[in-house]
Amino acid sequence: MNTAIRRLTALASALVMAVGLMLAVSPVHASAEVETTATALCSTTLRYGSSGTCVKKLQTRLNELGLNCGNKLTVDGKFGPATRMRVFAFQGRNRIAVDGVVGPITRGKLANPDSNLKVSCDSTIAAQIRSVWPASLEDKAIRVARCESGLNPIAVGVNTNGTKDMGVFQFNTGGTLQEWLPGSSTKIKIDNALTSTENIKAAYRLYKSRGWQPWTCRNA
């Protein structure tokens, strides 16, 4: 075997060894990346009024789940109305009890969610409304939705009677949500109410049946 062939053989052997090392190491690296992407939460149960480092971790984790358009939570360690609303929305999108309490079930979903909290920008929600509502009504519909929810698809409002209002057009869990959102259960209906496309289509169906009367912001 001449010198050139010996050099080529040695180079090929080195390449094979390098590829083998890469294949052996890559899964470990990939696993480490998956494990380090999610902020680990405390085992403490958190609810409205809680405060401290564990709440900061919760706020950070909620922000990791896809919030955008400048509407991320302030990581201040205070479980106030904004944090509670995001917890409500996360629970609704993951079809678990919408109680605002971060206990074992919600913590488990936060670690391994079925659905994130990606929020479309105002312009996208407005465009979705225009695609569903007729031209003669679309500007009014956008004004009503902006007044009701700030065009926020995961907006959740709490009423004095204990019911909640969900999504872009704020469907109420005490009536309009059950009647107008698709789904075979309340949990599915809530998930759909917090999904902008389904919420907007349901709002137009409701308008065609009852006009602007169902909305607090009907005069917007």
Side-chain angles (χ1 to χ4, degrees), residues 3 7 53 70 74 90 122 145 161 173 177 219:
T3 301
R7 286 177 179 173
T53 301
T74 300
F90 175 81
D122 290 7
N161 64 0
T173 58
L177 181 140
N219 295 322

Side-chain angles (χ1 to χ4, degrees), residues 14 38 76 101-102 115 117 128 158 173:
D76 58 5
V101 178
V102 183
S115 181
L117 284 176
Q128 289 176 354
V158 182
T173 58

Side-chain angles (χ1 to χ4, degrees), residues 137-176:
L137 295 171
E138 60 185 27
D139 288 337
K140 168 82 170 181
I142 290 169
R143 292 197 303 273
V144 170
R146 190 182 298 279
C147 176
E148 291 280 337
S149 69
L151 295 180
N152 181 357
I154 61 166
V156 179
V158 182
N159 301 305
T160 56
N161 64 0
T163 62
K164 297 179 181 70
D165 298 323
M166 302 280 186
V168 176
F169 280 94
Q170 293 286 274
F171 279 87
N172 182 263
T173 58
T176 52

